[in-house]
Amino acid sequence: MANVAKKVSWSGRDPRDDEDERAGETTPLLNGTGPGAAGGARQFTPSFLRPGQLSNVDLNEDIRELETELPRPYPNEIPHNEKLLSLKYESLDYDNSENQLFLEEERRINHAAFRTVEIKRWVICAMIGILTGLVACFIDIVVENLAGLKYRVVKDNIDKFTEKGGLSFSLLLWATLNASVVMVGSVIVAFIEPVAAGSGIPQIKCYLNGVKIPHVVRLKTLVIKVCGVILSVVGGLAVGKEGPMIHSGAVIAAGISQGRSTSLKRDFKIFEYFRRDTEKRDFVSAGAAAGVSAAFGAPVGGVLFSLEEGASFWNQFLTWRIFFASMISTFTLNSVLSVYHGNAWDLSSPGLINFGRFDSEKMGYTIQEIPIFIFMGVVGGILGALFNALNYWLTMFRIRYIHRPCLQVIEAMLVAAVTAAVGFVMIYCSRDCQPIQGSSVAYPLQLFCADGEYNSMATAFFNTPEKSVVNLFHDPPGSYNPMTLGMFTLMYFFLACWTYGLTVSAGVFIPSLLIGAAWGRLFGISLSYLTKGSIWADPGKYALMGAAAQLGGIVRMTLSLTVIMMEATGNVTYGFPIMLVLMTAKIVGDYFVEGLYDMHIQLQSVPFLHWEAPVTSHSLTAREVMSTPVTCLRRIERVGTVVDILSDTSSNHNGFPVVESNPNTTQVGLGLPGGCLSRSWLWGLVPPQVFVERANLSLVQRRLKLKDFRDAYPRFPPIQSIHVSQDERECMIDLSEFMNPSPYTVPQEASLPRVFKLFRALGLRHLVVVNNHNEVVGMVTRKDLARYRLGKEGLEELSLAQT
């Protein structure tokens, strides 16, 4: 483990690009590397891998900036080991520091001011819903027009050359259009904002869990995300535009709730009270729910998605505000799209995808079908586990070999061209001709079919995935040949698996639904043959169950997905069978491998904390998992000491216990904890005008307020940018009013599950460990707890590395 290469980064940024951010924020990326993120292999000293080393932040920014000035060749291979925990990730602090400044501000808030704050929360949630709905409308309208233009051009070309001969030119045109559009979408992601790659759900899930993911909720990320997903869908990739809406809603929520944008360099000061991790987290949860609501027209499903799959912290008041944001998002999307489609008073477009109405009278189910639905859940779980396992090895290959941005763009173009080629060849070879029935087929391709007929394979391939799903749900029996459905399922399964993880903005929801709908309809047709055309063996009903089974087998969602499917179909009758299918798919899939999102989070060595500690971890105590030694401070401390602590590259602390005695910073157990101070508060105290004034109370011109620290949130200047003279180093600074006087502590004999529960439930960033004499002996951080997980052979400990 000593030779660990620098992996790809979620932000993929060179520290030079953001001088206001610390170098420790260059973190691994799910979908490949960004520029400057793939350095050569590094040799690490054993101290970095030692369980007792507290490693939350890398302060050596100046040295790293000098290193990045030198051109480095990209390695041909980046070694990767999933049994690592990255030290690059920092934690968010969801526990408010109740120091004197905080308490004084809270005490000044009267009842009227408190009501004003509550009103602002509701206003923010309404704005989140409105803007998320508008972004969803923009994506839907642009995709519909651009995709329609592309399909019309290709269709006219195919119709022309079907008569004259020379269809190879049509294939070339289709593949070139796809590759060109996807190239633009991949370039803006790979070179401008790599964190916008993928659906964004794993990143938002990590953020809500308390892991700081750089750039994940930036305005620039939103712009690249929206443009990227439009180009991905128009480029014909096996992706959907619904998944990225969750990330988009989260970015909108983070930006609005803070009342400023660092990208636009605008600060409106209107919502500055909410500039702390706790408040921001709650609004991001609302944004994620609003994104789901806009995508599927499912406000309740959005709330449940945020609860089940997103948020790690929840309360009753938050539920109602999130539901309000989801409702506003759906209503906004519905209103705008209804006007756009010419039905201003008919609110019939509740989401980006509408599965259409399922008539209970024609498509009901009987008690005999329950075992069939459970069997479909088993098939969905197995196919989902296979999908995840294949994507796991593909992701490992990408991390090791496809780490340059140019290679990532080339791979995306290759996948786009292959997707077009596969679709064309399957349409060309298919002889499944069906009569044209009204306008249900958007772009009917005749090819070698008779007049008045169209190629059925083109209904699935020559269309956006969303429309293909609806067609499989609602096309009448006999619209598809079983061979057509079987071949489509097989090919689209591998195309979707290959596509997920490309450096493009894309989601996996719709491809999963499309795969499941195809084999589900095939299953229904087979049942109809076996039962000699019984009315209950409707292929559309089984397409719905297959779609639920496949999506559940891949992402392992149960409660929220059940409600989303019910709301999207507008039929509560299917609630019970959908629930059965999803539960079965999750149980079967979990037996083989993890869900897709959890698997990618684990592959990127993120210190993610689940709801409970590993079940076999009671034998471990806080003394065995804590980080030592701990750097402690006195209440009255020399400025030079504070500066040295912040500048010391070997000290990776983000929290510093303030002790009553004068401890030696290289030893432990010598001080009684009088409080705790985070690195961000120390940064706010170091500028000369602060501590010089505070050193001589007669010279105090102004008193620091909480607003001074909020103005700098969430990015504080690096200590290297602050110059302190020798005289100023001898000044003293009083830390009493800035430290948290009541930090959480735990005895060193406490079991790991008890420590885990306390740390996880309260959203802590640091937990002080004390001995029998109440003296500080260590500190528990996120990485100390995430290091232990349950493997196939029992409890295993991950190694820490600066990956």
Side-chain angles (χ1 to χ4, degrees), residues 277-336:
D277 289 342
T278 312
E279 296 283 356
K280 193 174 180 180
R281 172 201 69 199
D282 291 345
F283 289 119
V284 169
S285 299
V292 175
S293 179
F296 296 97
V300 178
V303 176
L304 293 176
F305 174 86
S306 191
L307 170 62
E308 178 186 13
E309 193 69 15
S312 296
F313 304 89
W314 201 264
N315 61 65
Q316 186 176 3
F317 298 107
L318 185 62
T319 307
W320 186 233
R321 288 201 300 271
I322 289 181
F323 183 60
F324 176 69
S326 297
M327 274 294 189
I328 294 294
S329 175
T330 300
F331 180 76
T332 302
L333 178 79
N334 206 342
S335 302
V336 176

XYZ file of all heavy atoms in Angstrom, residues 277-336:
452
model
N -23.315 25.003 7.441
C -23.494 23.675 6.848
C -24.864 23.078 7.139
O -25.469 22.435 6.277
C -22.395 22.729 7.345
C -21.037 23.067 6.759
O -20.992 23.773 5.738
O -20.017 22.631 7.329
N -25.374 23.287 8.363
C -26.639 22.666 8.757
C -27.788 23.169 7.901
O -28.581 22.381 7.367
C -26.942 22.953 10.235
O -25.777 22.675 11.010
C -28.090 22.117 10.733
N -27.915 24.482 7.778
C -29.005 25.063 7.002
C -28.856 24.714 5.517
O -29.833 24.374 4.847
C -29.010 26.586 7.182
C -29.288 27.053 8.599
C -30.769 26.952 8.963
O -31.576 26.584 8.090
O -31.109 27.226 10.123
N -27.641 24.793 5.020
C -27.407 24.509 3.604
C -27.778 23.072 3.285
O -28.362 22.785 2.225
C -25.936 24.780 3.277
C -25.616 24.821 1.794
C -24.173 25.241 1.599
C -23.782 25.304 0.135
N -22.367 25.711 -0.043
N -27.458 22.156 4.194
C -27.792 20.749 3.984
C -29.294 20.546 3.828
O -29.750 19.823 2.937
C -27.289 19.939 5.178
C -27.731 18.497 5.203
C -27.633 17.936 6.607
N -28.618 18.536 7.490
C -28.537 18.527 8.828
N -27.504 17.980 9.413
N -29.477 19.080 9.547
N -30.091 21.192 4.671
C -31.545 21.019 4.608
C -32.107 21.529 3.288
O -33.006 20.910 2.699
C -32.207 21.753 5.778
C -31.910 21.097 7.121
O -31.437 19.947 7.117
O -32.126 21.735 8.169
N -31.607 22.643 2.811
C -32.101 23.174 1.540
C -31.662 22.305 0.361
O -32.407 22.158 -0.616
C -31.628 24.611 1.358
C -32.306 25.593 2.277
C -31.578 26.340 3.189
C -33.684 25.752 2.254
C -32.199 27.225 4.039
C -34.317 26.642 3.108
C -33.571 27.380 4.014
N -30.470 21.747 0.433
C -30.021 20.843 -0.630
C -30.917 19.600 -0.674
O -31.225 19.087 -1.756
C -28.537 20.467 -0.432
C -28.129 19.338 -1.363
C -27.644 21.678 -0.679
N -31.349 19.125 0.484
C -32.307 18.012 0.510
C -33.587 18.388 -0.217
O -34.152 17.590 -0.975
C -32.632 17.629 1.964
O -31.488 17.198 2.657
N -34.057 19.614 0.004
C -35.271 20.081 -0.680
C -35.038 20.184 -2.182
O -35.921 19.849 -2.987
C -35.697 21.440 -0.114
N -33.852 20.640 -2.580
C -33.540 20.745 -4.006
C -33.512 19.390 -4.688
O -34.001 19.240 -5.824
N -32.944 18.388 -4.009
C -32.912 17.039 -4.582
C -34.327 16.494 -4.763
O -34.650 15.883 -5.794
C -32.091 16.114 -3.681
N -35.180 16.730 -3.773
C -36.570 16.269 -3.875
C -37.301 17.004 -4.997
O -38.072 16.396 -5.752
C -37.288 16.496 -2.547
N -37.062 18.304 -5.142
C -37.699 19.074 -6.211
C -37.244 18.572 -7.575
O -38.031 18.565 -8.536
C -37.372 20.559 -6.052
N -36.000 18.148 -7.682
C -35.501 17.599 -8.941
C -36.214 16.312 -9.327
O -36.593 16.118 -10.486
N -36.405 15.418 -8.356
C -37.141 14.169 -8.622
C -38.584 14.476 -9.010
O -39.150 13.884 -9.940
C -37.110 13.254 -7.377
C -37.967 12.011 -7.599
C -35.689 12.847 -7.052
N -39.181 15.424 -8.299
C -40.565 15.799 -8.563
C -40.734 16.339 -9.980
O -41.686 15.996 -10.678
C -41.001 16.850 -7.541
O -42.321 17.261 -7.765
N -39.779 17.186 -10.411
C -39.846 17.726 -11.768
C -39.598 16.645 -12.811
O -40.196 16.665 -13.889
C -38.828 18.854 -11.930
N -38.743 15.702 -12.499
C -38.393 14.661 -13.474
C -39.552 13.714 -13.729
O -39.845 13.374 -14.878
C -37.173 13.886 -12.985
N -40.235 13.288 -12.670
C -41.254 12.246 -12.814
C -42.670 12.733 -12.521
O -43.608 11.937 -12.578
C -40.935 11.062 -11.890
C -39.653 10.366 -12.226
C -38.490 10.676 -11.554
C -39.612 9.416 -13.235
C -37.294 10.036 -11.865
C -38.428 8.780 -13.558
C -37.260 9.091 -12.882
N -42.828 14.017 -12.177
C -44.150 14.489 -11.789
C -44.629 13.802 -10.539
O -45.812 13.464 -10.403
N -43.707 13.581 -9.594
C -44.022 12.793 -8.396
C -43.572 13.546 -7.145
O -42.476 13.301 -6.632
C -43.340 11.427 -8.474
N -44.377 14.483 -6.643
C -43.960 15.259 -5.460
C -43.739 14.395 -4.214
O -42.758 14.575 -3.503
C -45.115 16.234 -5.239
C -45.962 16.166 -6.440
C -45.660 14.919 -7.176
N -44.642 13.457 -3.970
C -44.462 12.586 -2.804
C -43.252 11.684 -3.005
O -42.457 11.459 -2.086
C -45.742 11.750 -2.562
C -45.549 10.815 -1.376
C -46.945 12.649 -2.334
N -43.097 11.176 -4.199
C -41.924 10.350 -4.505
C -40.632 11.126 -4.332
O -39.620 10.570 -3.902
N -40.651 12.424 -4.662
C -39.460 13.250 -4.470
C -39.090 13.372 -3.012
O -37.910 13.259 -2.644
N -40.077 13.593 -2.159
C -39.812 13.677 -0.715
C -39.252 12.359 -0.205
O -38.268 12.329 0.551
C -41.105 14.040 0.043
C -40.857 14.019 1.551
C -41.603 15.409 -0.383
N -39.849 11.253 -0.610
C -39.397 9.944 -0.146
C -38.022 9.592 -0.708
O -37.228 8.928 -0.038
C -40.416 8.876 -0.532
C -41.772 8.992 0.174
C -42.741 7.951 -0.339
C -41.609 8.867 1.683
N -37.733 10.029 -1.933
C -36.398 9.804 -2.482
C -35.352 10.529 -1.653
O -34.297 9.972 -1.327
C -36.338 10.283 -3.930
C -34.954 10.209 -4.530
C -34.507 9.039 -5.120
C -34.088 11.292 -4.467
C -33.224 8.953 -5.654
C -32.811 11.217 -4.998
C -32.376 10.049 -5.595
N -35.634 11.782 -1.315
C -34.690 12.544 -0.503
C -34.504 11.892 0.866
O -33.405 11.877 1.412
C -35.189 13.979 -0.339
O -34.205 14.803 0.223
N -35.570 11.322 1.398
C -35.495 10.657 2.705
C -34.765 9.329 2.617
O -33.885 9.038 3.432
C -36.917 10.436 3.253
C -37.066 9.550 4.491
C -36.313 10.166 5.661
C -38.520 9.357 4.852
N -35.094 8.508 1.599
C -34.552 7.146 1.524
C -33.139 7.108 0.955
O -32.255 6.439 1.491
C -35.470 6.282 0.654
C -34.962 4.852 0.474
C -35.799 4.058 -0.515
O -36.611 4.664 -1.238
O -35.637 2.830 -0.570
N -32.910 7.838 -0.125
C -31.668 7.676 -0.866
C -30.710 8.845 -0.688
O -29.508 8.707 -0.893
C -31.996 7.511 -2.362
C -30.840 7.035 -3.215
C -30.440 5.608 -2.928
O -31.223 4.890 -2.274
O -29.343 5.201 -3.358
N -31.236 10.006 -0.324
C -30.381 11.191 -0.272
C -29.976 11.597 1.132
O -28.843 11.392 1.553
N -30.906 12.170 1.861
C -30.577 12.807 3.136
C -30.158 11.800 4.189
O -30.730 10.723 4.315
C -31.776 13.608 3.636
N -29.139 12.170 4.939
C -28.706 11.370 6.083
C -29.246 11.934 7.384
O -29.068 11.338 8.446
C -27.174 11.321 6.142
O -26.651 10.667 5.015
N -29.881 13.112 7.324
C -30.434 13.762 8.512
C -31.833 14.260 8.164
O -32.056 14.772 7.082
C -29.548 14.933 8.954
C -28.123 14.545 9.204
C -27.198 14.578 8.176
C -27.715 14.123 10.453
C -25.881 14.207 8.394
C -26.408 13.738 10.671
C -25.490 13.775 9.641
N -32.754 14.100 9.086
C -34.151 14.404 8.779
C -34.862 14.891 10.038
O -34.505 14.506 11.152
C -34.840 13.148 8.252
C -36.074 13.423 7.449
C -37.363 13.409 7.891
C -36.132 13.753 6.066
N -38.217 13.705 6.865
C -37.492 13.926 5.728
C -35.176 13.933 5.075
C -37.905 14.256 4.451
C -35.590 14.264 3.799
C -36.945 14.418 3.502
N -35.869 15.754 9.841
C -36.750 16.103 10.956
C -38.133 16.411 10.390
O -38.316 16.596 9.193
C -36.203 17.287 11.770
C -36.078 18.550 10.930
O -37.072 19.091 10.466
N -34.848 19.025 10.736
N -39.100 16.485 11.288
C -40.495 16.604 10.872
C -40.764 17.925 10.152
O -41.485 17.968 9.155
C -41.396 16.477 12.099
C -42.881 16.448 11.751
C -43.746 16.226 12.974
O -43.214 16.161 14.078
N -45.041 16.129 12.799
N -40.201 19.022 10.644
C -40.429 20.319 10.002
C -39.860 20.342 8.588
O -40.420 20.959 7.688
C -39.793 21.428 10.851
C -40.374 21.542 12.226
C -39.668 21.121 13.335
C -41.655 22.053 12.408
C -40.209 21.226 14.604
C -42.206 22.147 13.674
C -41.489 21.736 14.779
N -38.741 19.657 8.408
C -38.110 19.623 7.098
C -38.999 18.912 6.082
O -39.038 19.292 4.907
C -36.752 18.915 7.211
C -35.874 18.873 5.971
C -35.494 20.274 5.534
C -34.613 18.059 6.253
N -39.753 17.904 6.515
C -40.598 17.127 5.609
C -41.613 18.018 4.899
O -41.787 17.940 3.683
C -41.337 16.017 6.383
O -40.394 15.238 7.118
C -42.123 15.125 5.447
N -42.270 18.875 5.647
C -43.316 19.719 5.067
C -42.730 20.747 4.097
O -43.295 21.006 3.044
C -44.082 20.396 6.199
C -45.275 21.192 5.765
C -45.542 22.488 6.075
C -46.365 20.742 4.942
N -46.730 22.882 5.501
C -47.265 21.821 4.795
C -46.663 19.532 4.308
C -48.434 21.747 4.047
C -47.826 19.449 3.561
C -48.701 20.541 3.442
N -41.586 21.323 4.453
C -40.962 22.308 3.553
C -40.480 21.636 2.253
O -40.605 22.203 1.166
C -39.785 23.000 4.242
C -40.185 23.974 5.320
C -39.080 24.979 5.595
N -37.853 24.357 6.043
C -37.548 24.101 7.309
N -38.405 24.417 8.263
N -36.404 23.539 7.634
N -39.941 20.431 2.374
C -39.475 19.720 1.178
C -40.657 19.348 0.290
O -40.590 19.460 -0.945
C -38.670 18.470 1.581
C -37.315 18.888 2.176
C -38.458 17.543 0.405
C -36.447 17.730 2.581
N -41.748 18.925 0.901
C -42.942 18.599 0.117
C -43.473 19.836 -0.602
O -43.903 19.768 -1.765
C -44.013 18.011 1.036
C -45.259 17.581 0.317
C -45.213 16.615 -0.667
C -46.482 18.151 0.621
C -46.354 16.207 -1.334
C -47.631 17.764 -0.042
C -47.575 16.787 -1.025
N -43.411 20.978 0.068
C -43.841 22.240 -0.546
C -42.972 22.565 -1.767
O -43.487 22.923 -2.831
C -43.745 23.356 0.500
C -44.061 24.726 -0.029
C -45.349 25.065 -0.409
C -43.065 25.687 -0.142
C -45.635 26.333 -0.898
C -43.341 26.952 -0.628
C -44.640 27.282 -1.004
N -41.657 22.434 -1.626
C -40.749 22.688 -2.751
C -41.041 21.727 -3.902
O -41.021 22.129 -5.079
C -39.291 22.559 -2.294
N -41.315 20.468 -3.599
C -41.607 19.479 -4.638
C -42.901 19.806 -5.374
O -42.984 19.701 -6.605
C -41.709 18.075 -4.020
O -40.488 17.690 -3.444
N -43.907 20.208 -4.630
C -45.184 20.572 -5.247
C -45.027 21.779 -6.167
O -45.551 21.807 -7.288
C -46.218 20.877 -4.159
C -46.943 19.656 -3.647
S -47.977 18.918 -4.933
C -48.881 17.714 -3.976
N -44.311 22.803 -5.690
C -44.095 23.994 -6.502
C -43.330 23.639 -7.773
O -43.608 24.145 -8.867
C -43.337 25.057 -5.691
C -44.187 25.557 -4.519
C -42.922 26.222 -6.579
C -45.417 26.324 -4.935
N -42.349 22.740 -7.654
C -41.557 22.327 -8.809
C -42.439 21.650 -9.855
O -42.372 21.980 -11.052
C -40.443 21.379 -8.357
O -39.733 20.874 -9.451
N -43.281 20.721 -9.421
C -44.173 20.020 -10.347
C -45.168 20.976 -10.988
O -45.418 20.927 -12.194
C -44.938 18.899 -9.608
O -44.001 17.973 -9.071
C -45.878 18.172 -10.540
N -45.734 21.867 -10.182
C -46.721 22.808 -10.710
C -46.086 23.757 -11.729
O -46.685 24.055 -12.770
C -47.340 23.605 -9.560
C -48.367 24.601 -10.015
C -49.638 24.191 -10.394
C -48.067 25.956 -10.085
C -50.585 25.108 -10.828
C -48.999 26.874 -10.518
C -50.274 26.453 -10.892
N -44.878 24.230 -11.440
C -44.192 25.132 -12.382
C -43.939 24.435 -13.708
O -44.220 24.979 -14.786
C -42.854 25.607 -11.780
O -43.090 26.273 -10.547
C -42.130 26.548 -12.734
N -43.400 23.224 -13.640
C -43.144 22.464 -14.865
C -44.437 22.208 -15.629
O -44.504 22.376 -16.856
C -42.466 21.136 -14.510
C -42.172 20.215 -15.691
C -40.919 20.670 -16.421
C -41.988 18.772 -15.220
N -45.471 21.826 -14.906
C -46.765 21.526 -15.511
C -47.333 22.749 -16.225
O -47.798 22.668 -17.368
C -47.732 21.069 -14.406
C -48.834 20.172 -14.937
O -49.090 20.148 -16.125
N -49.476 19.445 -14.044
N -47.269 23.889 -15.566
C -47.831 25.120 -16.131
C -47.100 25.534 -17.400
O -47.716 25.819 -18.433
C -47.764 26.248 -15.099
O -48.442 25.901 -13.921
N -45.770 25.560 -17.337
C -44.987 26.027 -18.480
C -45.127 25.085 -19.663
O -45.331 25.516 -20.816
C -43.501 26.198 -18.080
C -42.667 26.583 -19.294
C -43.361 27.257 -16.998
